[in-house]
Amino acid sequence: MMVFFIKCFQFYNTFLFWLWVNLADAAPGAGIDAPGRSYTPVAYSIGTEPVINGLVKYAGGPLKLDAANPVVTLDYGANVAGFPFVEVSSVSASGAQIELKYSEPFGGLKEPWSNGPFLYVNGLMNSFRTETFNVSSTGPTTSFFIQGGQRWQTITLLSKESITINGVGFRANVDITPINELPGSFSTSNDVHDGVWGLGARSLDLACVEAKSQPSTWEVTKEGALVRGQYPAISLRAVGFKNYEMSFSTKIVTGGVGWRVAGGANGGYGPYFVLTTGGPKLLSTSPLQLRPNSLIAGYGFSIINQQLLPSAPAQNFDLPNAVADNEWYRITTAITSTGYNISINGTHAVFVPSEPFKPYINPGIGTSALTDGTFGFGPFLNQAAYYRDVEVIGQDGSVIYTNSLTGDDVYEEYGVAINPRAVCLDGSARDREIWIGDFVHTARMIAVSTGRYDYIESMIDFEFDWQFLDGPGAGLVPMQAPMGIGKQYRAALYPLQFGQTDYHFFFLVTIGDYYTLTNDLDLLSKHWNGTKFLVETLISRYLDTATNLFAASDAFWFTAQNTQHATAPTALFVIALKKLVDIAQALGDTETADFYTTLSQTISKAINDQLWSPALGAYRMSLDRLGDTALLATAFTIRAGIANTTQATTGIQKLSDLFYQIGYKDSTAIGNGPGTQLSPNVQGFLLESLFLAHIQLNVPASVVVPVIKNLLEVYWPHMINQNQYRTGSSWEYLFPDGSPGIGLFTSLNHPWGGAPTYIYTDFILGVRRERNASTGEAGWVFDPVWEVVEGLGLTWAKGKMPLPGGKGWIEASWSGEKESTEMKITAPEGVKVEVRQRGGAKRRELL
Ligand SMILES: *[C@@H]1O[C@H](CO)[C@@H](O)[C@H](O)[C@H]1NC(C)=O
Ligand SMILES: *[C@@H]1O[C@H](CO)[C@@H](O)[C@H](O)[C@H]1NC(C)=O
Ligand SMILES: *[C@@H]1O[C@H](CO)[C@@H](O)[C@H](O)[C@H]1NC(C)=O
Ligand SMILES: *[C@@H]1O[C@H](CO)[C@@H](O)[C@H](O)[C@H]1NC(C)=O
Ligand SMILES: *[C@@H]1O[C@H](CO)[C@@H](O)[C@H](O)[C@H]1NC(C)=O
Ligand SMILES: *[C@@H]1O[C@H](CO)[C@@H](O)[C@H](O)[C@H]1NC(C)=O
């Protein structure tokens, strides 16, 4: 999920300023819990520009760059992540400057900012996708910052004398296990499916990070906070401040210093000031450079536009006096009604008028007034500076904030603390935030591939740890938490990062899925109060009791393009309630079980009464959109048990209204065109519903197979079969031509797009958990969905399903035709699997 651009899908050319800094050898990440190994390229080519064809195998030999052939293209074969490094074996006495560039798609290598920068949140990684190393001697140079995901890299020699590199790669910050070594596996007679299974599995290895594996991007020292060029991080203690005067002392290490005032709580959107010195600059390939001894004032995310996220055109001012590196200065910014008055060491320097920023005010992201909001610190690309002794004076002249920026408290207040927990992020490079709704697919993918059930537990613990127990958000859990913020500051993120209402519903589904998968009541009983509190909050805040459908003025619905009284989110809540009934019963909380059961029946009836349209032959999208159908309205009413066989059948047939070129749109309210986004996240939910419609509602295979076949054999393979985009992982969006659906900005490592991974294991291999309707117990079944298997023309499948608690795996295979099928299964002692044979033959149980 990436919320900012949902409604503002536009490209912006980004040709602005570009500098770089090299503070490379500061032992980045020393002492973190990360694997000790490195990821190295598999192929390379040396020439004058990035190339994709004709690469040769890289075996670690010397790479010589000189003025005639200054560029080496490096291909890692699939996405990798970590701290970039080069090992230099020969460099001239005058040294050399090399520019490193990282990209998920190949095309990023040809852009000045690669497939970034990512200037809207500090994700504990480099906000920029390029950096210059100033190499003066042989040996290793390592970046201070993580790069969270890239298949491609270039190194460009910017200085004249040649350089020889005898080692290059990424010091790992995540542990990428080769697909064939995971505890979970899947393969079939058609290897297209094997590849699609692997997309989700690999995406997890990059997007799920161990506790304490992603170090801070700030370095707090006795001299103050040393901050290298990155997206500015804001104080979460000051989000309610307005009309103040903020001062700090700074010593610029290289190039310049940057800060904000009047910034929004959600990442700091607002004014941003960058001050440059007259000191030495590193070389770069950018066509635009910041002028020395000047102040550049922007508004929005940065002083540049980045991909989809616009910023006000930057204003440039010359400084009245030159500013030098390695000297301390005291910089004061006074917020006035007409602008920002900046002085340096008590002398007036620049007045920045705020009038030109007005059109860029965006209360959804920043604050609603140019005078209101918090402050923050972060130099621009290729700069670095120390910051200390922050003091804020309020409107009445009193001191309202001080911080020396020399203590460890700084990290959590500014949201740049090393990640305290194991968490799964939405994207490994862009969108490095904890989106709990998107985790609903991730959790299921973990179960069938990496077997890292501990990540699911950690995410559930995290959400309840952050749950508000009182205040305006009482009961809610975060939907989009950043990694580095201290829990004590979470109220500053309310309501924005608690407000994607159906993401709470998805979290409840994840709790239910976790129970189905593990039977682990210890964790769930610990959080049962919190779970009930969340449910109660969602009902009282968002359920419209006049209709028994969900609608509220402060509710936002990802699953219904934000329309109220919508089928999909309301049905999603029923899915969640039904799962929670199982937990309530297991915990002996019959009162809650009865309440949830009755409520789910009431809501189901409300959906059938008000939102089923016989004329459409499908559920309407919402009461606001009576004439439209929506993919998730069909998918979730099936999964919730709201749709009957006829409704499911015609609903699936009506999906043809949503089909566009290679896949299915979210709803008929969305037009057709080259920019129409086709979501693997949304279609992933559809996939499961198609199987459930067939096995639970007896919807004929002839109805579901064509859709399944298109999704698995046409839509998803676009993530595999285009070399220029392939990363080995599932993507965020696709365009109808099969290319990444947010252009260069698309995350090409997004677990939310990897649902087929669990669909294959559950329904094609056929090893899954099912709850016995009479006993209520969940157990393992080996039950391939034969008619779909036949429809896909598969003659064999084999694979492994990891068991919770590191207790090994179930290994299963089947082969043969309808009349003579061989099914084999082995499981650790004590694990019971009910085997359902093909053609309705008698069942047998394996112990
Ligand atoms: C690059 O490194 C050399 C040697 O350490 C140093 O003299 C030079 O100032 C550096 N250049 C920049 C722009 O930092
Ligand atoms: C600026 O003021 C600081 C004290 O805040 C002082 O240490 C420093 O020398 C001054 N710098 C210049 C260049 O005057
Ligand atoms: C800015 O501050 C200076 C003093 O540093 C003052 O003389 C000037 O009037 C202020 N400008 C505005 C527009 O407030
Ligand atoms: C849940 O809440 C009840 C009533 O407030 C309380 O008695 C009980 O101890 C709580 N249980 C847990 C596990 O927090
Ligand atoms: C399914 O629901 C529709 C709409 O309520 C109803 O007309 C139809 O009779 C139902 N079909 C079955 C088999 O119950
Ligand atoms: C449910 O459990 C009962 C009792 O163990 C068993 O007889 C029955 O076959 C099970 N039903 C299914 C659908 O597996």
Side-chain angles (χ1 to χ4, degrees), residues 383-421:
Q383 304 177 339
Y386 283 91
Y387 297 82
R388 75 174 191 216
D389 297 331
V390 183
E391 184 183 78
V392 180
I393 296 174
Q395 235 172 335
D396 64 358
S398 64
V399 175
I400 55 174
Y401 176 99
T402 59
N403 192 332
S404 65
L405 300 186
T406 54
D408 283 347
D409 58 301
V410 168
Y411 294 113
E412 290 196 338
E413 180 189 332
Y414 285 82
V416 290
I418 186 168
N419 63 311
R421 289 177 190 279

Side-chain angles (χ1 to χ4, degrees), residues 608 612 644-647:
N608 269 330
W612 170 253
N644 67 25
T645 302
T646 325
Q647 291 168 314

